[in-house]
Amino acid sequence: MDFAIILIYTLALLLILLYSLSQLSLLINYLRSKKKNDNSAKYNFSNPEEIPTVTIQLPLYNEMYVVERLLENISKIDYPTNKLEIQVLDDSTDETIATTAEQIQKLQKKGLDIQHITRIDRTGFKAGALKEGLKIAKGEFIAIFDSDFMPKSDWLLQTVPYFKDPNIGVVQTRWGHINRDYSLLTKIQAFALDFHFILEQVGRNFGKHFINFNGTAGIWRKECIMDAGNWSGDTLTEDLDLSYRAQMKKWKFKYLENVETPAELPVVISAARSQQFRWNKGAAENFQKNYSKLLFDKTLSAGTKFHGFFHLLNSSMFLLILLLAILSVPVLYIKNTNPQFSSYFNVIAFFAISTLIFFICYWVTYAKIHGKGIGSFFKFIGMFLTFFSIAMGFSVHNSLAVLEGHFGKKSDFIRTPKFNINNLKDSWKGNKYLSRNLSLSTIVEGLLWLYFGFAIYSAFVLEDFGLIIFHLMLFAGFGYVVFKSLLSKV
C-alpha cells in the first residue's frame, strides 16, 4: 500500500511538472513577442469602401441587473450606422423581456439598427441563440459580448481592421475587470484571468499554437464560423469547441493584448462556482471531443499538439492537485515510518521547481498590470500564496466538474448571475438569481478542511515540517471556500 501511494503521488507530481514546463514555454514565447513589431495588414478605414458590415450579437438570459447598462454601452459604439447591426438574442424567461424590448425601441427611434430576437425553445442555450441569430445576420463579421461586458466606443475600430488578412477567422481582445478590487474573491479571479489573457493567450498565439475565442469580447468572420461547422451546444464551452474546429480548418486567430474590454467579475462565491464549473467541465468535454482529431492531424507540429493537450486538459490539473493534497498526509507518515524511502524523498524534492516556474510566470503577468516595483513584488507574493490556497480550496468542486466532462455526463448551461457591482457600496444581497442551496461539495470541502487541520497537527507530532506550508495553504483555502459558501446562503 505504501508503495502504491508513493507511485501515484510521484506520477501526479510528474504531470504537474510537465504542465509547468508548458507554461514556461509560453512565458518564453510571451517575452519573445515583445521584441517583434506587429506588421499585420489592416483595412484602411479612411476609405469608406473598405469598411465592412458588422453584426454585434448580445446573448441574454434573465439579466435584470445589467441589461440596461449593456444596451446603453453598445449604443455608443463608434462605427458607421449603415454598416452596423445589433442583435439582442434574448432567451430570458422573466420580466426583463418586456423592459429590454422597451429599451430597444428607444434605441431604434434614435436610428440604430437593433433587433430583439427571442426564442420559445432554448435548444443549445447560448450556442443555440448565437446560431439562430447568425441565420439572419447581415454582417460579414460577428462581434459577441456577454451581458456584463462594456466595450469602449472605439472597440470595432481597433479590431475589425485586422480582418484585412483573409486567413484571419477571429480577433480576440483581453478582458479587463471593472470591480477587480471589490473583494478578495474578485482579486483572485482577476489574478487568474490576467494570467490567461496575458501570458497564455499571447504565448500560444505568438508560438502559432491554438488559442481560444473566450466566448465574448471577440469578433468572428462569419465565413469562418460556417466553415468550421457553426455553433454547437454539445459542450458547456461552445467557444472553445468552435475555436479548435476553426483552427483545425486552418483559420488563423489574432489576439490583441493591448485592446482591453472591461467586464464585471462575480462577487459571490456561488456565482464564481457556477462559472468555474461550466469552464472546467466544458474544457474536459472538449478534450474528449477534439483532442484525437488534433493528435492525428499530420499537418500540425508536435509543439501545437503538446500545447493543445495541456490547453484542453488545463482544468484537469485540479484532479491532480486534489489527489496530491489528499495523499500528502499519508505520504508524511510513510516518510517518517519508512527510513528506506529517505533517498526517494530527497529526489522528489526536485519537483519543487514546478512552484518556482509558476511563481515566475505569474509574476510576469502581475507586473504587466501592477508594475515591477519592490512594493508590487511583495504584494504579488501575498497574492500568489492566497490565489493558490483558494484555488486548491476549489479543487473538489472543479474536480467534480472535470470528471463529469470526461465521463460524458450532460448538464444544462448554468449561466453566471450578474450583479452590476462596481464598488464597495454596491450590494449583492438582493440578487434574485442566486442559488441558496447547500451543495454536497461544500460538505466534502468542510471535511477536507478538518483533514488538513489534522495534517498541520501531524507536522508537530512527527516533528516534520517539510509539507507544513502546503498544508497551511490547503487549510486556509478550504476554510475560505467553506465559510464563504455558508455565508452566501444567509
Side-chain angles (χ1 to χ4, degrees):
M1 177 62 76
D2 288 354
F3 179 78
I5 289 173
I6 289 175
L7 178 62
I8 296 170
Y9 187 77
T10 305
L11 287 174
L13 284 170
L14 179 60
L15 287 170
I16 290 173
L17 175 61
L18 288 174
Y19 175 65
S20 73
L21 292 174
S22 76
Q23 301 298 86
L24 180 61
S25 171
L26 294 180
L27 172 62
I28 293 169
N29 284 345
Y30 176 77
L31 296 175
R32 288 176 59 210
S33 74
K34 300 303 158 189
K35 300 176 181 179
K36 185 177 179 181
N37 294 324
D38 188 349
N39 298 314
S40 302
K42 295 181 185 178
Y43 283 122
N44 177 15
F45 272 22
S46 62
N47 179 5
E49 294 183 3
E50 284 204 32
I51 301 177
T53 302
V54 173
T55 296
I56 295 177
Q57 291 187 324
L58 308 174
L60 301 179
Y61 177 69
N62 298 348
E63 305 291 3
M64 174 186 292
Y65 303 99
V66 294
V67 65
E68 182 177 350
R69 181 183 72 182
L70 170 71
L71 293 177
E72 182 180 350
N73 182 265
I74 294 297
S75 70
K76 297 175 182 176
I77 290 285
D78 182 12
Y79 205 75
T81 307
N82 65 330
K83 296 290 184 77
L84 179 64
E85 172 193 40
I86 302 170
Q87 292 183 338
V88 181
L89 308 174
D90 195 353
D91 278 359
S92 298
T93 56
D94 64 2
E95 64 270 31
T96 58
I97 282 275
T99 56
T100 299
E102 290 176 8
Q103 193 172 359
I104 288 172
Q105 288 172 6
K106 292 177 182 177
L107 294 175
Q108 287 171 338
K109 290 176 181 177
K110 293 181 179 181
L112 275 181
D113 181 1
I114 181 169
Q115 303 175 63
H116 192 198
I117 301 171
T118 60
R119 300 187 300 162
I120 297 174
D121 181 5
R122 291 184 62 230
T123 299
F125 303 103
K126 179 180 176 181
L130 295 171
K131 191 174 183 178
E132 193 71 22
L134 201 62
K135 292 178 182 177
I136 57 172
K138 302 173 186 175
E140 182 183 351
F141 303 106
I142 312 294
I144 300 171
F145 299 103
D146 283 348
S147 61
D148 53 331
F149 278 73
M150 301 169 64
K152 297 172 184 176
S153 60
D154 64 348
W155 194 91
L156 288 177
L157 301 179
Q158 294 191 73
T159 55
V160 174
Y162 288 93
F163 286 104
K164 176 81 171 179
D165 180 347
N167 296 311
I168 296 289
V170 172
V171 174
Q172 174 67 50
T173 65
R174 177 170 59 87
W175 293 6
H177 318 293
I178 61 175
N179 60 336
R180 172 194 296 273
D181 295 321
Y182 180 80
S183 66
L184 180 59
L185 181 62
T186 58
K187 286 178 181 179
I188 62 170
Q189 289 175 88
F191 187 82
L193 287 169
D194 288 342
F195 179 77
H196 169 68
F197 280 98
I198 293 175
L199 187 138
E200 291 187 322
Q201 288 287 64
V202 174
R204 291 190 184 110
N205 201 213
F206 181 81
K208 302 189 186 311
H209 307 311
F210 285 9
I211 68 168
N212 58 299
F213 166 66
N214 292 103
T216 177
I219 180 167
W220 285 81
R221 187 186 296 271
K222 186 177 180 180
E223 180 190 352
C224 173
I225 296 175
M226 305 309 293
D227 183 52
N230 213 328
W231 295 104
S232 173
D234 61 354
T235 73
L236 290 183
T237 46
E238 72 294 322
D239 45 5
L240 179 60
D241 174 34
L242 187 58
S243 297
Y244 265 69
R245 286 189 279 122
Q247 287 167 109
M248 284 190 279
K249 283 276 192 173
K250 309 311 174 190
W251 287 97
K252 295 180 181 178
F253 281 32
K254 180 72 177 177
Y255 181 69
L256 302 179
E257 179 191 2
N258 294 324
V259 179
E260 180 185 68
T261 309
E264 180 183 319
L265 294 162
V267 296
V268 182
I269 199 164
S270 60
R273 277 180 180 275
S274 67
Q275 187 177 71
Q276 289 283 311
F277 190 90
R278 187 174 74 250
W279 288 350
N280 288 301
K281 181 173 180 176
E285 288 175 328
N286 271 286
F287 178 83
Q288 295 297 329
K289 179 178 179 177
N290 292 308
Y291 190 70
S292 61
K293 301 171 190 173
L294 187 75
L295 181 64
F296 294 109
D297 189 333
K298 295 179 180 178
T299 66
L300 298 175
S301 69
T304 293
K305 294 176 182 180
F306 173 78
H307 281 287
F309 178 84
F310 281 108
H311 186 191
L312 294 174
L313 280 184
N314 186 297
S315 64
S316 298
M317 292 299 114
F318 282 105
L319 278 171
L320 295 177
I321 290 168
L322 181 60
L323 184 64
L324 204 64
I326 292 171
L327 291 181
S328 66
V329 179
V331 162
L332 185 65
Y333 279 89
I334 291 169
K335 178 184 176 184
N336 282 272
T337 55
N338 294 270
Q340 67 270 28
F341 288 133
S342 58
S343 58
Y344 159 79
F345 285 108
N346 290 332
V347 171
I348 65 167
F350 167 78
F351 288 107
I353 195 173
S354 299
T355 303
L356 178 61
I357 291 171
F358 289 130
F359 184 88
I360 295 169
C361 289
Y362 275 89
W363 163 242
V364 169
T365 59
Y366 186 89
K368 168 74 177 181
I369 300 293
H370 302 277
K372 300 178 180 178
I374 190 69
S376 179
F377 180 71
F378 282 111
K379 287 180 181 177
F380 163 74
I381 293 173
M383 186 54 64
F384 180 83
L385 294 172
T386 302
F387 165 70
F388 274 95
S389 296
I390 295 174
M392 290 189 290
F394 272 97
S395 61
V396 169
H397 178 266
N398 291 345
S399 292
L400 290 173
V402 168
L403 289 171
E404 285 191 13
H406 283 305
F407 286 105
K409 180 181 178 182
K410 294 300 179 183
S411 58
D412 289 346
F413 184 101
I414 306 298
R415 75 115 169 89
T416 306
K418 311 302 190 306
F419 300 88
N420 194 10
I421 285 180
N422 303 303
N423 57 64
L424 291 173
K425 294 180 181 179
D426 296 328
S427 175
W428 52 267
K429 291 288 186 180
N431 191 297
K432 64 179 285 187
Y433 303 126
L434 285 176
S435 170
R436 304 291 178 181
N437 298 323
L438 183 68
S439 67
L440 176 62
S441 64
T442 303
I443 297 171
V444 175
E445 287 157 359
L447 293 174
L448 284 172
W449 175 64
L450 297 174
Y451 179 72
F452 294 117
F454 169 74
I456 296 168
Y457 165 78
S458 298
F460 288 93
V461 171
L462 299 172
E463 296 184 352
D464 185 339
F465 300 98
L467 291 173
I468 194 165
I469 294 177
F470 184 47
H471 289 148
L472 282 168
M473 291 173 67
L474 286 162
F475 182 74
F478 277 99
Y480 175 86
V481 169
V482 169
F483 288 105
K484 289 291 285 188
S485 298
L486 293 174
L487 288 171
S488 71
K489 307 303 176 187
V490 297

